[in-house]
Amino acid sequence: MRVRKVLAVLCGMTMMASLLAGCGGSSGTAQQSEENTTEQEETTEAVAEEADDTAETEETTANISGSITVWEHSNSFESALEAVVAGFSEKYPDVEVEWEIKDGDTYYSLLSTAIQSGEAPDVFWTNGTSSSNMADLVSNGALMDLSGEIDFSDLEQDSLQIATIDGKQYSVPWMTLDTRCCYYNKDIFEQEGWTVPTTFDEFEELLAKQKEAGYTPISQCLTDTWSILFTYEPVLAAMEPEYVKGLADYSVKATDEPAANALNKMLEWKDAGYYGDNVMGVNGDATILAFTTGKAVMYIGGSWSTSTISGNNPDLNYGAFQIPDNNGTRGMVGTYANGFSIYQDTENAEAAKAFVQYCASLEGQTAWVQATGGVSGSPKIEASSEIVQEISDAETVYTSWQSVLANYAKEGESATTIWEEDSVKLFEGSVTTDELMDNIAAVMQ
């Protein structure tokens, strides 16, 4: 299989158990002979069955050929996509895969344009029910229903929620828990005598110390709604843990006072200079770069950022922690990640389904989880690094605030779109926290 890569940069951003059986000796030679013969026959049958299965698999893969184009939405997943494509290539040598990364806020507009012009990729990333985008694509007839096409049995059942609309599966989730954490520069911490905070108050005190010492405490991008969200949710969980617990069953509302309190806290930090002097003039890539080059002491972001951080600076001595609440409890906000969908009108349906099926397999999932360095959401897949273990060091897992917006909006309304549009405006100063919350509340159940 020929693999071609096109990297389009549009923005400057897992039990294995062993069964040991003992065999008792027999005094009868005839009995031994009979047992040996039986064992040989069983072994021969097993080998024959395995050969048949292999032949069937080879025959199946041999019948699939052609070419497909795959779109991914972020440079953070380049190494993971490479690993999956490489694994797929061994099974389907006659399928050519051209993959592209459309990195930046314009991903969905580019996808929409490609679909409208008849040049849609065969396979492309969607963020599932985390926002309204996949639902919009479904309503417009752009996505293939994968319910009877793809075997999802290797995936955790809970993960399928992010890929399900009206009881049908439209994408393949990844067995990574998309979580957020606070990364920190261990060398600077040691040099300055700082320790990882054990309460939220200590965390705020640490920010002040870092600023006073001449550092940018948190590398942050307030011009990107996702960068804002991935800081907001850990801060919300640390400030208002009882409220965040209620998000799981919607016994609290997404726009209750605690939700506004956390946004106001982030605004306080901006005014205090904790994000640096040019926070409204940098993008997501520059934000991570500032942390990896030591210009900022900490960076609050997604668990998937580990590959980018290490890629930027392989020698960086960094760690991660969950921001604790004032009871000392470390909570982790986590949701399963979503993966690829298939274009309904693809001219390469069999090849596209083969690729997405590989993504849904344990092999493909393991490749993705370990290449991203992500937090594993499956007991079948081991975490790949020490930093992931640090990220996972939490006493509880919380529901994502943003997923509540997606799952409990009124029919025909999109609370996530309001958040995406107004969150940046909040930090620009063109809307207030109360206005943002009122706008969201108006479209929520």
Side-chain angles (χ1 to χ4, degrees), residues 315-327:
D315 297 324
L316 182 67
N317 182 21
Y318 72 102
F321 62 89
Q322 297 296 340
I323 303 174
D325 63 29
N326 275 329
N327 292 320

Side-chain angles (χ1 to χ4, degrees), residues 185-196:
N185 188 310
K186 289 185 175 182
D187 288 340
I188 296 179
F189 264 56
E190 182 178 358
Q191 174 185 315
E192 299 293 338
W194 299 327
T195 58
V196 172

Side-chain angles (χ1 to χ4, degrees), residues 104-280:
D105 294 337
T106 58
Y107 173 82
Y108 273 113
S109 62
L110 290 169
L111 180 61
S112 177
T113 299
I115 291 174
Q116 292 172 10
S117 64
E119 298 179 354
D122 305 279
V123 176
F124 49 87
W125 173 84
T126 56
N127 54 348
T129 58
S130 292
S131 72
S132 63
N133 298 104
M134 189 171 82
D136 291 341
L137 290 167
V138 171
S139 65
N140 289 324
L143 300 189
M144 182 183 294
D145 177 10
L146 305 181
S147 306
E149 305 290 343
I150 303 300
D151 178 7
F152 294 95
S153 60
D154 281 336
L155 309 186
E156 296 300 302
Q157 190 67 32
D158 288 347
S159 72
L160 298 180
Q161 296 176 11
I162 199 170
T164 305
I165 295 178
D166 295 332
K168 298 178 180 180
Q169 306 295 136
Y170 288 98
S171 62
V172 174
W174 290 120
M175 292 299 95
T176 51
L177 279 176
D178 274 358
T179 187
R180 305 81 168 98
C181 67
C182 183
Y183 298 97
Y184 70 104
N185 188 310
K186 289 185 175 182
D187 288 340
I188 296 179
F189 264 56
E190 182 178 358
Q191 174 185 315
E192 299 293 338
W194 299 327
T195 58
V196 172
T198 60
T199 66
F200 184 74
D201 286 346
E202 286 183 8
F203 182 77
E204 279 206 277
E205 292 169 3
L206 180 61
L207 296 179
K209 291 177 183 177
Q210 292 171 346
K211 179 70 166 57
E212 185 178 355
Y215 295 98
T216 295
I218 303 173
S219 183
Q220 177 60 272
C221 169
L222 297 179
T223 60
D224 173 68
T225 184
W226 296 104
S227 296
I228 295 171
L229 179 71
F230 299 147
T231 299
Y232 171 62
E233 290 189 326
V235 172
L236 176 61
M239 285 184 62
E240 307 284 356
E242 293 304 315
Y243 164 78
V244 176
K245 289 176 184 178
L247 293 174
D249 60 2
Y250 204 51
S251 58
V252 299
K253 302 304 180 184
T255 55
D256 285 349
E257 183 179 355
N261 290 342
L263 282 175
N264 287 330
K265 179 61 68 176
M266 288 183 63
L267 286 167
E268 285 180 29
W269 292 352
K270 175 178 178 288
D271 293 341
Y274 293 164
Y275 306 136
D277 297 330
N278 192 34
V279 65
M280 300 307 299

Side-chain angles (χ1 to χ4, degrees), residues 14-26:
T14 123
M15 190 173 333
M16 178 170 65
S18 298
L19 180 61
L20 302 177
C23 293
S26 172

Side-chain angles (χ1 to χ4, degrees), residues 7-9 11 13 73-79 101 103 285 308:
L7 180 60
V9 180
C11 177
M13 341 216 299
H73 76 298
S74 172
N75 291 325
S76 298
F77 303 109
E78 181 178 3
S79 60
I101 295 181
D103 188 24
D285 282 346
T308 302

